[in-house]
Amino acid sequence: SGTWLLYLPCTWSIGLATEPGCLPDWHMLSLFGVGAVLMRGAGCTINDMWDRDYDKKVARTASRPLAAGDISTFHSFVFLGGQLSLALCVLMCLNYYSVVLGAASLSLVITYPLMKRITYWPQLVLGFTFNWGALLGWSAIKGSCEWSVCLPLYLAGVMWTLVYDTIYAHQDKRDDIIIGVKSTALRFKEDTKQWLSGFSLAMLLSLCVAGMNCNQTFPYYSAVAAIGAHVAHQIYTLDIDKPEDCWKKFASNRTVGVLLFIGIVLGNL
């Protein structure tokens, strides 16, 4: 699921940057797909390196290779070097502006895992990190960012991440309290649904602004409406105290991203 959630904002951005009447560039979509797999892998490696002492104490993560002691820190550095080198090869296929913009995201990728030690809002930092593709996809096609479209699209992605990752964090809240890490799930507690509703509204508004700023048509707004209904149903039926329900709702967010991409493609034809 994580790889999809990283990849989908790239597809939205590539789709919106496509010339009217055309389908999105399949070569670019594939390139970003490979990049998403590599960077998601690198992110997991970095996360596991920072968290190896925490992971040992949580049932769900105790079997991760670093936490379980199956591989050494040195070997994980070598592995990470390989992942980042391959990701750099993908990035170098893009224009100069996009190479610089892509490289700038690395500071977020490296620091995100530390955030749960210092703030109750690590999900917000994950949002900034995971939706970088909403900026990068556009610049890869156009040569630079059109901020009137890219910023609202990026903001919509950040709000979306706050929704799905807060739901995800509710799975681990008992363990998190014991080991002393923070999350929006622990910050919002019983008010979670009100917060999620607010984030969802901000996301839908931002998507409408992005759409208006690049002259999107009816299929796009239909997709935004469908997303609104999907997310409303997620929040309404969510049981924050049932880990299996949290997982199910979290995983269903791939549908949200795919719906928007379909809306963008159809709206552009």
Side-chain angles (χ1 to χ4, degrees), residues 188-201 235:
F188 304 155
K189 300 191 181 85
E190 297 310 311
D191 295 334
T192 290
K193 292 195 177 191
Q194 291 92 307
W195 281 92
L196 296 186
S197 304
F199 297 144
S200 302
L201 276 171
I235 296 169

